[in-house]
Structures are given as structure tokens and as C-alpha cells.
Amino acid sequence: MTCWYEGPLAAFDTETTGVDVETDRIVSAAVVVQDAPGTRPRVTRWLVNPGVPVPAAATAVHGLTDERLQRDGRWPSPVMEEIARALAEQAARGRPLVVMNAPFDLTLLDRELRRHRASSLDRYVETTPLRVLDPRVLDKHLDRYRKGRRTLTDLCAHYEVTLDGAHDAAADAQAAMDVVRAVGHRFATRLARLSPAELHTLQAVWHAAQARGLQAWFARSGTEEAVDPAWPLRPDLPAAAA
């Protein structure tokens, strides 16, 4: 029987105006689907005119300017609908969804749906829930004592995954998928017998524990930053759609 990390996977990634899931906006997104390692992926891309200025710091990361997005980007409302339906389709087809740092991308998508569609991500996947694989959570749990950062670039270097064009949504999604497959192979004795659904449930527990550990570290270092333990989607806040 084929292990999940050798079978069909989908991956999702966004580029944004910033790092606040409650107020920032999606400017580009991609869904990458691959039937098996080494096979040609199928890529769907979206470019969005967010309707708000893109900070220079964000443009410096992903290269998307106000001029480019106003010229080539589409209005957010139909795009968010298409993205949500694309993720729901992957869930319905039984494909696990790889999302690096899932609480960021999925929560931001949820807030955009609330903002522009008066809806939510949960409504699109209520009949067939997402089964998310987060390379950051998996790696941190399975190799918890390894020192160093665990950004996508760091994970690609550690697992010898090629990342061409970092901070392009499609490139990042493909790299995250490749990292998850590499994690699966490296820790096969611990992961092969677990289904994606079981892993989804376990990752929620692992992420919560990781968040508590980070919160404790912040407290010791005198940092007041709060760490949200929710995974893969942060709970709705009253001001989220403002």
C-alpha cells in the first residue's frame, strides 16, 4: 500500500500585504497538485488587486507592486471564492493539503472570505474537512531538539529540497510539498502507519504544545508577544471582517 507521502498531495500558499491575519490582504495565491513524487504538478495561480496599498516592505519580499496588481490583479471577491472552492475540491478528492505555517495562510483566507464574501473557510469544507499537513509543525515535532530557524528556506536546506523563486506562491507551495514528502521518508518508521486524517489531529496537539513552549520562552525573555495555539485555523474574532 502506498504511503501518504508517496501518493497524491495538494499544496497551498499565499503572498500578502503583511503578517497580520486580521487586517492584511492576499495579493497572490497558488494551489499545486501532484499525483506522486517526480510527476508533473498541476498549478493554479491567482493574482489579486487587494484594494489597499501594498507596503514597500511586502513588495520587497514578493516583488508585487501596486502598479502590477492594479494592472493585472483581479478583484478579491471572485478570487477568494475560487480559492476556497479549489481547496474544497482537494478535500473532496481525498488529497491532503500541504500548507507551510497553516494558521497564517488558512486564517488569512478565512478573513478574506468573511471580508469579501460574508462567508468563511469552514463553510466551503463543512462536508469534507481539510486534512492539513504543515511541514513546520511536523519537522518541529519529529526533530524537536535540532537548533536553528525553521522557515521554508531553512527546511528546504535541511531536507535538500530545491526552492526556485522563493516568495512566489506556486514555488513556495511546491517546495513545502517536497519538504513534507522528505519528512515522510526521513521519519517513515514514525509516520508511515498514520493516515493524513490522524496526522491532522495530532498536529493540532503538537502545535499547541509548541505554542506553549514558545510562549514560555517569550515570558522568560521579557517579550509580551502572544502565541496562538490554534491550528490549522485561528478562531474568528469579532473585528476580523472589518
Side-chain angles (χ1 to χ4, degrees):
M1 183 178 178
T2 301
C3 294
W4 57 264
Y5 49 81
E6 295 177 338
L9 293 176
F12 172 60
D13 189 74
T14 66
E15 297 300 328
T16 68
T17 60
V19 297
D20 188 331
V21 296
E22 304 298 342
T23 60
D24 280 306
R25 311 296 175 90
I26 294 173
V27 296
S28 70
V31 171
V32 177
V33 179
Q34 188 181 44
D35 293 327
T39 62
R40 183 183 295 275
R42 301 183 294 281
V43 181
T44 305
R45 304 171 185 263
W46 293 271
L47 195 64
V48 186
N49 179 352
V52 299
V54 180
T59 297
V61 172
H62 50 58
L64 296 172
T65 63
D66 283 325
E67 181 183 10
R68 167 79 190 285
L69 295 172
Q70 290 169 10
R71 183 184 69 241
D72 300 328
R74 297 168 56 204
W75 289 114
S77 179
V79 172
M80 300 312 149
E81 169 85 5
E82 291 173 15
I83 295 173
R85 289 191 179 279
L87 299 190
E89 179 185 355
Q90 299 312 312
R93 292 179 179 273
R95 295 191 188 104
L97 182 69
V98 176
V99 191
M100 174 70 185
N101 191 16
F104 178 78
D105 292 82
L106 294 182
T107 303
L108 190 54
L109 174 59
D110 177 80
R111 301 321 190 235
E112 289 277 57
L113 288 165
R114 294 173 186 273
R115 182 178 294 119
H116 297 291
R117 305 293 302 185
S119 186
S120 68
L121 182 56
D122 283 340
R123 292 182 186 177
Y124 288 85
V125 296
E126 59 185 354
T127 57
T128 311
L130 295 172
R131 295 177 297 169
V132 178
L133 299 171
D134 188 332
R136 184 177 181 178
V137 175
L138 291 170
D139 172 72
K140 196 169 184 179
H141 177 78
L142 294 163
D143 198 0
R144 68 183 68 184
Y145 299 113
R146 189 179 81 248
K147 295 182 179 180
R149 290 159 52 86
R150 298 180 195 247
T151 67
L152 180 59
T153 300
D154 298 317
L155 294 184
C156 285
H158 181 71
Y159 289 99
E160 300 181 342
V161 167
T162 300
L163 174 55
D164 291 326
H167 301 297
D168 169 82
D172 286 357
Q174 180 66 63
M177 182 189 298
D178 292 342
V179 168
V180 163
R181 293 194 189 279
V183 169
H185 280 283
R186 183 167 300 187
F187 298 98
T189 56
R190 299 169 65 181
L191 296 177
R193 295 184 180 180
L194 294 170
S195 70
E198 291 170 325
L199 270 176
H200 180 103
T201 300
L202 286 169
Q203 284 170 100
V205 177
W206 297 342
H207 178 270
Q210 293 163 10
R212 289 193 298 270
L214 182 57
Q215 191 73 75
W217 185 86
F218 282 155
R220 290 194 299 271
S221 62
T223 302
E224 296 183 357
E225 183 177 349
V227 183
D228 197 321
W231 183 97
L233 184 67
R234 296 177 188 171
D236 180 33
L237 297 177

